[in-house]
Amino acid sequence: MNPRGDSTSGSDGAAEPRRKSKKPRYSRFTQQELPACKPLLTPAIVVTTFAFIGIIFIPIGLLSLSASGQVVEIVYQYDTDCIPEQMQNDKVAFIQSSMTNKTCTRTLTVPKNMEGPVHIYYELDNFYQNHRRYVKSRSDKQLRSKASETETTNCAPEATTSDGSVIVPCGLIAWSLFNDTYSFAVNSKIIEVNKKNIAWQSDKEHKFGSDVYPKNFQMGGLIGGAKLNASIPLSEQEDLIVWMRTAALPRFRKLYGRIETDLATNEQITVTIQNNYNTYSFEGKKNLVLSTTSWIGGKNDFLGTAYLTVGSLCLFLSMGFIILYLLKPRTLGDPSYLSWNRNPDGHY
Amino acid sequence: MADGERTAFVDLLRPIADPPVRPDLISLSASATAAASAAVDPPHGSRAEADRLGASLKELADADARIVFVGDPGRTDPRLALPGNAVRTAKYSFLTFIPRNLFEQFRRLAYVYFLAIAVLNQLPQLAVFGRGASVLPLAFVLLVTAVKDAYEDLRRHRSDRVENGRAAAVLDPAGSGQFRPHRWKDLRVGEVIKVLADESIPCDMVLLATSDPTGVAYVQTINLDGESNLKTRYAKQETMSRLPSITAGSVTTLIRCETPNRNIYGFHANLEVDGKRVSLGASNIILRGCELKNTAWAIGVAVYTGNETKVMLNSSGATSKRSRLETHMNRETLLLSAILITLCSAVSICNGIWLAIHRDELELSQYFRKRDYSGGDEKYYNYYGIAMQVFFIFLMAVIVFQIMIPISLYISMELVRLGQAYFMIRDKNLYDESSNSRFQCRALNINEDLGQIRYVFSDKTGTLTENKMVFQCATIRGIDYSEGKDPSPNGSDVYYVVVGDQFWRPKMLVKTDPKLVRLLRSEGETQEGKHARDFFLALAACNTIVPLIVGTPDPKQKLIDYQGESPDEQALVYAAAAYGYVLIERTSGHIVIDVLGDRQRFNVLGLHEFDSIVTGREYLDIIRATETNLHAYSSMGLRTLVVGMRELSRNDFEEWHSDYEKASTALYGRGNSLRAVASRVENNLQILGASGIEDKLQQGVPEAIESLRQAGIRVWVLTGDKQETAISIGYSCKLLTSEMTHIVINSNSEASCRKSLEDAIAISSKFVAISSRAQNTITGTGSVRVPLALIIDGTSLVHILETELEEKLFKIATVCDVVLCCRVAPLQKAGIVALIKKRTEDMTLAIGDGANDVSMIQMADVGIGISGQEGRQAVMASDFAMGQFRFLVPLLLVHGHWNYQRIAYMILYNFYRNAVFVFIMFWYVLYTAYTLTTAITEWSSVLYSVLYTALPTVVVGILDKDLSRRTLLKYPKLYGTGQREERYNLKLFILTMMDAIWQSLVVFFIPYLAYRDTTVDGSSLGDLWTLAVVTLVNIHLAMDVFRWNWITHLSIWGSIAVAVMCVILIDSIWSLPGYWAIYHIMKTGLFWLCLLGIFAAGMIPRFTMKALTEYFMPNDIQISRELEKFGNFNYFTGTEISMSTFSETHPGFIR
């Protein structure tokens, strides 16, 4: 007897033809049979992958290292150096006083030929430009247009002066603008420092308004840093724009300017530093950095080393796997490796 | 059947002038099917039980009854404030939508967490994110859900409006006797309503009259319980005859009925007309949702309306269970919370220490600036002392690191389960052709439990078997007739009824024994022949079957379709028809049987419910012979029924008749008095014979059980059947095998139970000892263990369950390979499930089809209902419903396995994904003086788990398959992965978390070290971190994907692309500090080198581990994957083959 025939006819009766069949329509999607690729980590793939990474990474590492090696960098920490002997015990008083002479002249030697442009950076350490109180204390609206001058919601505690008038640019970031200055001379001949285009073009064009002029800036009870020329619009105040791109880490560099000429090996550069900025109250360090650049940026051996390490590790792993595969070969897809075939009892 | 045919039918009957009325025989044989010896199986219909439960357990007290005045809705019990007939499936109205929907949504704990964090963030001291960024994700989720709910509700509103606006003919209360159209929603309890053929019934109503002179109405209940059989409902003669005066309002008619309840198989009421009380039962009520069929019209009175109708009361939502995996997941969520709190405490304490060390510097350091000089008087700016600062930082840290607890996981899990359910429903291997039913997912949150089942508790009838009864053989007066041969549809041996120029034949053909056929047709009045004729007359007459005449393509041929509620009865009537006793008409008052061409009409005088206690008086040798045959039948797995008869004298009949009338109209204790009447007449019975009915095994059951067993799932069968039947079914479905040692426990006292259990334990421990010794000596080659089977009956279980003997039973039952419980009551089924559930961690699954399985289905971790012959109660109570037992194999082994592995991976991945991100932020926080600045923009951190990385895990959770369906079915043992919880456990969680920490270190420190001496700003570095982590976690996922189809590709690579686009977009907004940063940093080589380095360094440990374990410590899944790819079994779209092995090789009969 056909199992389907008679037994089912009971329900195939009068009611059946009217009922729509609910049989799911076949499609590869609904039956979960879409064509698919099933990658497996076969020995060949594993060895090739590791070898491939190794082969790619080692040259990159070498290239990066050589690029980094070509960068010439002069770093000079001047925060302690530039304080006269007698004031070493009370650096904060020295820096806060308006009477002290803060000019400080030092000579740096160029270790290797530096091709222009040579970038001049100041580097601050232990300065938390990423502190929550600090990063939030700015008003992008105010910076952009004169119409939004009063938008100072986030700028506390540098939103208004004590008499309530609006500070432009408001906020702690602008208030704390770095104000040390550097000038350079070789053999008593002053080297031109190009301070144009040190900020991002995008910032100058869209973020800082050309009709926004500083107002009531640095008039409060506590002076945080540089004063701004009230007749220059913010979009031209490149030092401010650079400063307001807050750094990611507590030690950071910011572009001060560029020396367009080459500096020859062993040349003596006389640097005149106006040491105005107070980092002494929180033990912050100040460095002056002169550096050339390469495609990788500044001097940075880490990336090259990392690439070499990873690359050689991968090559090593590749070798290791080859040896392991040779020592303990296994046929892929051999049913005798299934647990119940290895253990014929088949109970768990 | 159309009306015209019906008249023709009546006309044709006319030639039989004065059909012989034999009240004596009828009254008797009406009880004869019921009259059976103790060897009879209990009746099949669950309805009978449901009825008894619903009706006779409680008698109707006036206090909790509803009193309905027929035709007078105004007087109908004003204190009840009855609802109108308007149904309201819609949840919300225009006004209540927002508050109610929000309330519904916030019942999810996850949303409350979301909200709490968002509220915390609104405090000015704690504002970590901007208002928008913190509220947006919550608002988005709420909005999407609200729109979805609103749309669904709108559809419900629409369908409600259509439903409520339908027209029904209502009797004009003014007494004109006219029916006027009313809208459904305006119907009220007490109104008299007329329903025409093929119309839907607007509310639950008690039948008053029908077009049939005897008061029969046929209804189709397919919308109510899924059964396509026509059900017979009756109007009481008392109301039929008084219809004109009732409609005219001249007599007061009132109905006392029970308060609204969900029991669709029970109704308990009485009707008072002209001072006379008539009782009403389930057969007198027609329910909303049914359709009137084969009846020109029916008039009834509304008793339950609107949301009080039984169909509305039964439309409950899906059951809510929590899956095993989710329970485990909550354990790890707690662990994550601990990590979160640790991180937050670490940050806040470090911040406190930092503040303490730098206390004196805070005043002047430009980045802190403790004092606020604006506004004249000096005050602190946003500084409240170290202690407060620490506290605030802690709360802020909770806000910043909130995604450590992957809230989005709960939402994606719901999506994934929805997707999985979609594929299970659409799977054509889970579609049952014969009942036209798809797989149903009624519970949406336990899909993955299907992959971890260790115990299956199965009902027998209707679950293992089809519950489609086929008459096989009979014994008449001790003589066995079982030499039947299969009939062919057009063969000469098929019996036809000739009606005019038409031939009518029964729709289902039954094999006939030629000897018996000859005996029946022999002319001589032999004693044997008389008995045989009485036997078949009893079979044809004593039932509740309704014959329907169905047309065939050949106009001369008609089929007789016997419709009824009990499949046993159907089988018996078909059998009688095959032997020439064709039931051709049934009304409530009489039946017409064509006895070998001679049409006879019988009056039905009374009907006794089936009851298995009757007494008889018979010659011993006949009893012996019958008993021998019965034993032989039941050991073939046949269901047996003994048929007896008794001739009543005029006096006896009169006595019975008056008793019966009294009892059946009794108001109190009707059930009991009817039983008493029955037992008085059902004695001194003469045995006519017995029938053997085969309950066909469902297709593929033996193979399915074998697969389940190989998969390490123990199958227990719990049945109400006799022990012999149960054992023989056990053999035929390969549950029991001949090499098994049976341990049988049949005891009827506690003491003997205890003894049998102890004996059993002794036996089993001996076998276990032998096998373990054998294992040691023969070094585990070849299974030497003798399989054990425990067979226990309900009587013993009465003494065992819920006593201290349970422990012993558990011990012995878990040692045995197979457990078979016979003669168990519904509650005992649940008790057995509880026995396992209470004592082990193992997952249990119960599968059944009848009302008697409901308790077991609800008790088990996973309940499966078979949407088969019996009612829908099992399906209503179940988590999943399907058409056939054999679907359990693809459901568990394939879908269960997939779902388990998908959800398990998804949970781990989500934990990992969010942890990586949190750790990256944490490392950065260490360089910000512990002030919780994030270099990653707040928008990116909000979108990270919602947009950047959400879709791939959902897609992989729905679509990825570690192994193909074919492999999983070929090697059922692969199912063990889920049982052993290999895909999700604490060890994996810890490994994943360690990987997360490593990857976060790589992502954070490579850019940190590379950019340490540069002019990089926070936003640029943040963008680098964002892109690095998004790509890394997507690559991580990509590395774990088993099967790449175009959707997977699209979602993974698409997500990365979306993330890049979003970052670019965010950096194009001038008002954010990071304006244009991404454009600048992407121009530098360092950026790309960092990314490349991060991917390689981040993935090396995982890749190495994966390569090592997959090659040198492969698990079964891995080997099988290799087999799929390299093995030489011919791989092609495997689904068709896999299932056909089930159907072709075994016809699946018990023989």
Side-chain angles (χ1 to χ4, degrees), chain B residues 177-231:
Chain B
Q178 297 292 310
F179 286 91
R180 303 233 154 91
H182 274 224
R183 279 186 296 182
W184 276 26
K185 67 173 175 186
D186 299 326
L187 301 183
R188 292 161 70 195
V189 171
E191 282 184 329
V192 176
I193 297 158
K194 185 175 187 177
V195 182
L196 300 180
D198 296 328
E199 279 187 354
S200 298
I201 291 153
C203 57
D204 294 358
M205 39 197 246
V206 167
L207 278 175
L208 296 176
T210 72
S211 55
D212 185 283
T214 54
V216 176
Y218 298 100
V219 290
Q220 191 174 46
T221 57
I222 191 157
N223 291 334
L224 201 59
D225 60 6
E227 295 177 51
S228 57
N229 279 341
L230 290 191
K231 308 272 167 16

Side-chain angles (χ1 to χ4, degrees), chain A residues 115-323:
Chain A
E115 272 177 43
V118 177
H119 291 76
I120 306 162
Y121 304 100
Y122 52 91
E123 182 179 288
L124 296 186
D125 195 1
N126 211 13
F127 188 102
Y128 287 91
Q129 235 197 348
N130 57 13
H131 196 285
R132 172 165 287 280
R133 293 166 71 91
Y134 186 81
V135 282
K136 275 172 51 187
S137 188
R138 64 189 286 162
S139 166
D140 290 291
K141 285 194 182 125
Q142 193 201 42
L143 295 176
R144 188 164 193 247
S145 81
K146 195 170 170 59
S148 317
E149 199 179 76
T150 50
E151 301 250 0
T152 56
T153 356
N154 293 326
C155 286
E158 274 296 315
T160 53
T161 55
S162 48
D163 59 3
S165 40
V166 182
I167 300 173
V168 182
C170 71
L172 281 183
I173 306 181
W175 169 76
S176 61
L177 177 61
F178 188 72
N179 59 353
D180 287 4
T181 56
Y182 314 109
S183 55
F184 304 89
V186 178
N187 304 327
S188 319
K189 193 174 141 249
I190 294 200
I191 304 175
E192 196 69 35
V193 174
N194 179 5
K195 286 184 69 80
K196 287 278 164 231
N197 292 329
I198 54 173
W200 292 359
Q201 204 58 34
S202 56
D203 278 353
K204 288 202 283 185
E205 280 165 14
H206 301 291
K207 223 167 153 52
F208 292 82
S210 52
D211 59 344
V212 185
Y213 292 90
K215 206 189 212 176
N216 300 325
F217 192 67
Q218 295 295 20
M219 310 284 251
L222 195 63
I223 305 295
K227 294 197 164 59
L228 292 175
N229 183 343
S231 60
I232 301 175
L234 292 189
S235 58
E236 313 275 316
Q237 308 263 13
E238 293 206 32
D239 280 322
L240 177 75
I241 297 174
V242 168
W243 180 253
M244 291 205 62
R245 279 242 151 238
T246 51
L249 299 164
R251 189 175 89 190
F252 60 89
R253 285 179 184 181
K254 290 211 173 283
L255 191 57
Y256 178 81
R258 292 189 196 86
I259 297 171
E260 302 290 356
T261 53
D262 297 354
L263 299 174
T265 318
N266 292 328
E267 248 180 345
Q268 300 290 314
I269 309 174
T270 314
V271 189
T272 314
I273 300 169
Q274 285 298 325
N275 185 16
N276 297 323
Y277 199 69
N278 179 7
T279 54
Y280 303 99
S281 54
F282 54 91
E283 284 158 18
K285 294 185 198 106
K286 294 196 275 193
N287 292 330
L288 169 65
V289 180
L290 295 179
S291 170
T292 60
T293 55
S294 68
W295 63 269
I296 200 175
K299 190 157 192 69
N300 179 8
D301 290 345
F302 165 76
L303 209 64
T305 324
Y307 263 79
L308 280 183
T309 317
V310 171
S312 34
L313 179 69
C314 285
L315 280 187
F316 169 78
L317 280 171
S318 165
M319 298 294 171
F321 269 100
I322 290 176
I323 293 166

Side-chain angles (χ1 to χ4, degrees), chain B residues 345 348-349 351-353 355 385-395:
Chain B
S345 314
S348 55
I349 290 169
N351 185 267
I353 295 171
L355 282 175
I386 290 178
M388 253 344 235
Q389 219 56 20
V390 167
F391 177 67
F392 284 152
I393 287 286
F394 181 83
L395 289 182

